[in-house]
Amino acid sequence: MSRPIRVAVVGAGPAGIYASDLLMKSGHEVSIDLFERMPAPFGLIRYGVAPDHPRIKGIVQSLHRVLDKPQLRLLGNIEVGSTVTVDELRDFYDAIIFSTGATGDRALEVPGADLPEAYGAGEFVGFYDGNPDFERNWNLDAEQVAVIGVGNVALDIARILAKTGDELHVTEIPDNVYANLKANQAREVHIFGRRGPAQAKFTPLELKELDHSPTIEVVVNPEDIDYDEASIEARRTSKSQDLVCSTLEQYAIRDPQDAPHKLYIHFFESPVEILGEDGHVSGLKTERMQLDGNGGVTGTGEFTVWPAQAVYHAIGYRSDEVKDVPFDSQRAVIPNDGGHVLDSETGQPLPKLYTTGWIKRGPVGLIGNTKSDAKETTAMLLEDYEAGTLEAPAHPGEDAIIELLEERKVPYTTWTGWHNLDAAERAAGEAEGRERKKIVEWDDMVRHAHPEYEI
Ligand code: NAP
């Protein structure tokens, strides 16, 4: 008797939702359960994109259309690996796709990185995006702040630190975040890149929009604008890199302005040490670098100490391991061949297990790039299905997993629950003339999603 292909997708961020969408559009009859550890879906759109980026947050609208489809069922507030194990999922599904993303920070390995005011960007993002896994109260006493890394996350961090709390109040930030940002003492934010403008990872739009805040003056030292052969080639072959360079050049040559907060972007400064005084951050020591002709840099032996009372490093995210799933801890990804999960020891594909998104390829690329990843993974899964290599699960019925969750009294959240939570956040926002105000606490989210649960 024919039945739909049962697929568990683990992680309800853009990667998992795009993979689900592709499976539903494949022409195969599919039935998908989208597992999510948090009570709310959307992964990094809810908990990674900065609150003052409504254009990117707007991607949620297209994700809504995917989740509205009857073949897809959201099962939130469930941690795969503890609430249900991967082995248990094998009994309910033909295939499992891991799309758990990356929220941790890559470690900055310099002396002083363990001082209390030396933070990973991801921790601060977790705070301002109201992620209940992170700190609710952030110390923003520093008047001078250093941000290490010249990617878009560094821009997000620097922009949020350089804006005023009131500029950000129109966004969805929760009350505790507004209270902290309103008390922010930062007057100077310094971003440090260890290479040059042609090697910066910023995207042009994000770099340009720094200038849109009336309280921020972006400053670039003309001496930091330098190109070698490889840099010239990088500009010539990438329109986006060329635009980044010309925007930086414009910042470098314009007349000084009188905005109250200065945001400096420095190049050719590699972090050497985070300096401390009485156990607190007092500065950042960097070594001046020079281009080596190939897009790389070498040290000059000249050092500078930049006064700073807080240092954030935005040098890349890191994925967390999923229990009982192979993990390459060096690269912080699930080892895979085009999306098929590989056994860590034998290097052979593991039946039924697939992966997509940042946990598959590492934390690089814009949200849209995840689509091509999902295409590769889902095509492979369907090929394996057609070849008959996916062992049929013992319990392929859609009710079986629900019975297990109910037996374990798991207060799981659903798509209807998200609509309830969404309505509650919108109502809280409207009361203050804002579009939304985020609900932060884990149990509050579950209670708003499912008032019928006794929590
Ligand atoms: P990223 O783009 O890879 O940038 C990381 C930066 O850290 C690079 O400048 C890198 O310099 C630097 N770095 C790495 N190790 C370092 C070290 N030990 N010392 C000093 N600098 C170091 O990563 P990301 O900013 O975390 O962004 C991740 C992805 O999310 C990107 O694709 C980004 O575009 C995307 N994103 C987009 C938005 C948006 O608004 N559109 C917002 C946030 C993130 P080197 O190049 O020299 O290694």
Side-chain angles (χ1 to χ4, degrees):
M1 200 178 67
S2 106
R3 60 167 179 84
I5 315 172
R6 291 279 289 141
V7 181
V9 176
V10 181
I17 298 177
Y18 288 142
S20 305
D21 192 31
L22 287 165
L23 288 173
M24 290 190 287
K25 286 175 174 162
S26 67
H28 288 267
E29 197 191 338
V30 293
S31 155
I32 304 169
D33 285 336
L34 181 57
F35 288 87
E36 170 56 49
R37 191 178 69 85
M38 309 292 288
F42 306 127
L44 74 71
I45 299 191
R46 184 172 166 92
Y47 290 124
V49 172
D52 58 345
H53 269 172
R55 182 180 55 82
I56 305 177
K57 295 238 179 223
I59 296 174
V60 159
Q61 306 315 323
S62 62
L63 302 185
H64 257 253
R65 288 194 285 278
V66 181
L67 274 141
D68 275 338
K69 293 187 183 167
Q71 306 97 300
L72 182 59
R73 183 167 64 176
L74 175 69
L75 297 174
N77 203 23
I78 295 174
E79 182 163 19
V80 169
S82 67
T83 324
V84 287
T85 66
V86 172
D87 262 351
E88 284 170 334
L89 291 186
R90 286 175 197 271
D91 281 347
F92 298 107
Y93 300 95
D94 293 285
I96 307 164
I97 302 178
F98 298 96
S99 49
T100 47
T103 49
D105 288 296
R106 267 189 57 205
L108 175 71
E109 282 163 9
V110 298
D114 54 349
L115 284 164
E117 299 86 11
Y119 309 107
E123 298 172 64
F124 187 50
V125 172
F127 156 73
Y128 66 59
D129 263 341
N131 182 330
D133 284 340
F134 291 87
E135 196 55 58
R136 307 287 196 289
N137 202 11
W138 202 271
N139 174 355
L140 291 165
D141 289 346
E143 289 190 15
Q144 293 153 308
V145 182
V147 178
I148 299 169
V150 283
N152 282 332
V153 172
L155 286 187
D156 280 348
I157 303 287
R159 196 180 65 250
I160 298 289
L161 286 165
K163 277 186 170 178
T164 61
D166 285 334
E167 274 177 285
L168 291 162
H169 190 242
V170 294
T171 71
E172 61 184 30
I173 52 170
D175 291 337
N176 65 308
V177 175
Y178 173 60
N180 279 198
L181 291 174
K182 199 163 165 55
N184 179 11
Q185 298 298 311
R187 298 290 170 270
E188 282 180 20
V189 179
H190 296 259
I191 300 181
F192 295 93
R194 58 182 172 181
R195 298 193 285 155
Q199 290 79 36
K201 299 275 173 63
F202 307 139
T203 43
L205 204 62
E206 279 65 32
L207 180 62
K208 269 209 159 110
E209 80 160 326
L210 275 188
D211 215 25
H212 295 173
S213 160
T215 55
I216 302 179
E217 175 177 352
V218 186
V219 185
V220 175
N221 183 343
E223 285 180 15
D224 284 359
I225 304 290
D226 193 17
Y227 307 107
D228 60 0
E229 281 303 315
S231 308
I232 293 162
E233 184 61 9
R235 287 189 73 165
R236 201 184 58 75
T237 52
S238 161
K239 196 169 172 221
S240 159
Q241 199 65 49
D242 189 48
L243 268 169
V244 165
C245 292
S246 39
T247 305
L248 290 164
E249 287 165 7
Q250 282 158 23
Y251 286 145
I253 57 168
R254 69 178 174 187
D255 292 334
Q257 298 161 324
D258 60 359
H261 298 167
K262 308 288 179 215
L263 199 164
Y264 297 86
I265 306 179
H266 306 275
F267 292 99
F268 304 111
E269 297 292 348
S270 183
V272 174
E273 184 177 355
I274 299 174
L275 304 170
E277 222 175 88
D278 302 329
H280 293 283
V281 167
S282 62
L284 176 70
K285 182 174 176 184
T286 60
E287 180 177 8
R288 187 73 183 168
M289 309 303 280
Q290 62 192 11
L291 285 162
D292 65 5
N294 301 313
V297 283
T298 52
T300 63
E302 280 169 44
F303 297 89
T304 308
V305 170
W306 309 84
Q309 299 78 47
V311 175
Y312 293 73
H313 62 85
I315 60 167
Y317 285 129
R318 192 185 153 85
S319 294
D320 290 327
E321 192 169 346
V322 181
K323 193 163 181 280
D324 300 327
V325 178
F327 192 67
D328 174 344
S329 47
Q330 195 82 32
R331 295 179 53 226
V333 295
I334 295 176
N336 69 91
D337 178 13
H340 206 148
V341 177
L342 301 177
D343 187 299
S344 304
E345 274 159 31
T346 65
Q348 293 302 307
L350 283 171
K352 290 169 90 110
L353 303 190
Y354 300 85
T355 181
T356 191
W358 278 4
I359 185 99
K360 170 186 175 186
R361 66 172 200 277
V364 280
L366 303 179
I367 292 167
N369 300 137
T370 296
K371 281 185 188 166
S372 47
D373 228 18
K375 212 169 177 175
E376 184 186 46
T377 296
T378 53
M380 185 170 283
L381 184 160
L382 292 170
E383 223 170 82
D384 291 347
Y385 176 77
E386 280 164 13
T389 61
L390 299 182
E391 192 193 324
H395 310 289
E398 290 178 0
D399 293 343
I401 183 74
I402 301 298
E403 281 162 20
L404 179 86
L405 294 173
E406 286 181 351
E407 204 180 286
R408 290 185 184 165
K409 301 195 178 345
V410 177
Y412 64 92
T413 56
T414 64
W415 187 227
T416 306
W418 161 251
H419 282 293
N420 294 338
L421 174 58
D422 185 40
E425 291 191 340
R426 284 178 188 278
E430 268 163 35
E432 297 174 10
R434 305 151 67 185
E435 196 180 316
R436 168 189 304 276
K437 182 164 79 172
K438 251 187 193 162
I439 292 170
V440 181
E441 298 300 331
W442 198 287
D443 285 351
D444 284 349
M445 282 197 275
V446 178
R447 260 192 293 271
H448 280 285
H450 293 279
E452 72 276 16
Y453 292 160
E454 285 169 16
I455 292 177

